[in-house]
Amino acid sequence: MKKNLLSFALVALLGTVTATSASAQATMTPGTVSVGGQAMYPNKNIVENAVNSADHTTLVSAVKAAGLVETLQGKGPFTVFAPTNAAFNALPAGTVEILVKPENKATLTKILTYHVVAGNMTADKIMSAIKAGKGTASLKTVSGGTLKAMMNGPKNVVLVDEKGGVSTISTYDVIQSNGVIHVIDKVLMP
């Protein structure tokens, strides 16, 4: 009797696990990547996905303050190098609070659009451009500035801003309906 109860319990448990796994797989579409603990769906746009990432709440607030929501919901395609909350927290104390004030909208917009490149620059395309540039690729940003992309190891891309700051891409190819996001660990400065 005990053996039958144990077998029944195992079958019930496996059935629950299988049903849960099948349910989770049904909600995850191919190409979905987890960022900030949330699924980033390739059929949603940059803003629709970014607002769900717990790691990008500061970026989302800054995009709203700069009035860039409509632009980043547009057709694109855009490549966004998305700094995490930790990247914003590494800025000097008070920087973010000052930047999101209405009187600093132009400066904030310039910094945020410095993180955007027109086109769909997947990791493979960035690495190919680095190779073609003999170790450095120049990426023209929407703000009119230039980012330099370089390899730091066989599969690690770093970005160098115009002030010499270096940021590493920590998550590549988060595909969006209107472009691609690469998560970075530092805020880039024009």
Side-chain angles (χ1 to χ4, degrees):
M1 183 81 160
K2 263 186 173 179
K3 189 175 182 182
N4 286 344
L5 281 174
L6 182 59
S7 294
F8 177 75
L10 282 173
V11 168
L13 178 63
L14 286 174
T16 302
V17 169
T18 304
T20 302
S21 177
S23 172
Q25 287 177 350
T27 60
M28 295 291 277
T29 57
T32 301
V33 175
S34 179
V35 175
Q38 294 297 316
M40 301 287 123
Y41 298 100
N43 61 338
K44 292 188 176 186
N45 68 49
I46 290 165
V47 175
E48 290 171 327
N49 274 321
V51 297
N52 293 320
S53 170
D55 289 344
H56 291 91
T57 56
T58 304
L59 176 63
V60 169
S61 294
V63 165
K64 289 176 181 177
L68 294 172
V69 171
E70 190 174 311
T71 301
L72 292 176
Q73 287 179 326
K75 185 177 178 181
F78 304 107
T79 299
V80 176
F81 298 104
T84 61
N85 291 342
F88 280 102
N89 291 338
L91 293 171
T95 301
V96 174
E97 292 78 9
I98 291 168
L99 286 172
V100 296
K101 289 183 177 184
E103 62 267 22
N104 296 320
K105 185 176 178 179
T107 302
L108 179 60
T109 299
K110 183 173 182 171
I111 291 169
L112 292 176
T113 57
Y114 189 67
H115 290 77
V116 181
V117 173
N120 199 355
M121 295 291 294
T122 61
D124 286 343
K125 289 179 184 176
I126 294 170
M127 289 181 209
S128 292
I130 292 169
K131 187 175 180 181
K134 296 182 172 55
T136 304
S138 291
L139 306 175
K140 192 74 165 170
T141 69
V142 172
S143 72
T146 303
L147 291 170
K148 293 190 184 291
M150 294 178 254
M151 299 302 296
N152 181 16
K155 297 213 180 232
N156 187 36
V157 175
V158 295
L159 302 169
V160 180
D161 64 28
E162 293 174 2
K163 298 203 183 302
V166 178
S167 182
T168 301
I169 298 176
S170 59
T171 304
Y172 296 85
D173 293 341
V174 185
I175 303 301
Q176 314 290 295
S177 65
N178 62 342
V180 61
I181 291 175
H182 302 290
V183 178
I184 59 174
D185 68 349
K186 299 279 188 296
V187 175
L188 301 163
M189 295 304 228

